[in-house]
Amino acid sequence: MVTIGVYGFDGESFLRRLRHADVRLLLDVRQRRGVRGPEYAWANSRRLQAALAEAGIAYEHHLELAPTTDLRRLQYAEDDRLGVGKRSRRELAAEYARRYTAEILDRADLTPIVSALPSGGTAALLCVERDPEACHRSLIARRLTERHDVAFEHLRPP
């Protein structure tokens, strides 16, 4: 499996990166499937799904793995305290990671996701942050590695 964020890509380079990694299934783990800013309009749910379908990549939304609004607010408060913006964040707040793990991951059954992985090609976890260390997708990847022996590569923009 791979993980990928939206920030740092445009629509064309995003799809090119997915094709290069032989992604056949994209697992969207965002709560809100819109991205602010005209440069990221391509990543809004309907446009993204249409582009993926045209590229032959299946799409699934996994809301059960998305952080809650309260968790996102906790991370934003830490970002504000540190004076970093969401698009420039380099790591998750320790309390956010702890609570996301306890409130979301510990309750989630990841077995159906593992069972549905494509037999050919790979699957990608999608969120918005450029760096996986700044995003909950890295926590999901770690859990899948630890409990389901799934190997990950983190795709980054050029």
Side-chain angles (χ1 to χ4, degrees):
M1 285 188 78
V2 299
T3 77
I4 192 167
V6 169
Y7 296 149
F9 287 101
D10 59 30
E12 186 178 311
S13 64
F14 181 82
L15 288 172
R16 190 170 43 250
R17 190 69 176 105
L18 291 179
R19 278 192 223 86
H20 181 64
D22 198 22
V23 170
R24 308 278 176 89
L25 171 63
L26 187 124
L27 306 168
D28 189 338
V29 295
R30 300 177 291 174
Q31 180 191 40
R32 295 171 52 210
R33 295 182 290 164
V35 182
R36 290 185 181 170
E39 72 272 30
Y40 294 111
W42 61 268
N44 293 329
S45 181
R46 289 178 196 237
R47 290 179 183 163
L48 178 61
Q49 287 182 62
L52 291 169
E54 189 173 308
I57 299 171
Y59 173 92
E60 293 179 5
H61 182 224
H62 285 273
L63 183 59
E64 76 279 9
L65 295 176
T68 62
T69 300
D70 285 343
L71 284 171
R72 288 186 9 254
R73 286 183 184 145
L74 183 140
Q75 181 63 56
Y76 297 156
E78 181 66 4
D79 292 345
D80 288 345
R81 187 183 75 75
L82 296 173
V84 298
K86 180 178 181 181
R87 294 183 189 189
S88 59
R89 179 188 317 134
R90 295 285 182 227
E91 63 184 7
L92 291 170
E95 181 64 7
Y96 172 93
R98 184 194 69 73
R99 284 191 50 198
Y100 177 83
T101 299
E103 296 172 20
I104 306 293
L105 275 182
D106 289 347
R107 297 175 183 177
D109 180 6
L110 299 177
T111 304
I113 290 174
V114 174
S115 297
L117 293 177
S119 57
T122 193
L125 290 174
L126 167 76
C127 198
V128 296
E129 287 80 4
R130 179 189 186 283
D131 298 311
E133 302 83 8
C135 181
H136 73 287
R137 71 181 187 270
S138 66
L139 302 174
I140 300 167
R142 183 179 312 133
R143 176 63 57 94
L144 286 165
T145 298
E146 292 169 353
R147 298 205 176 159
H148 298 277
D149 199 30
V150 175
F152 274 89
E153 175 186 353
H154 299 291
L155 306 180
R156 297 175 194 261

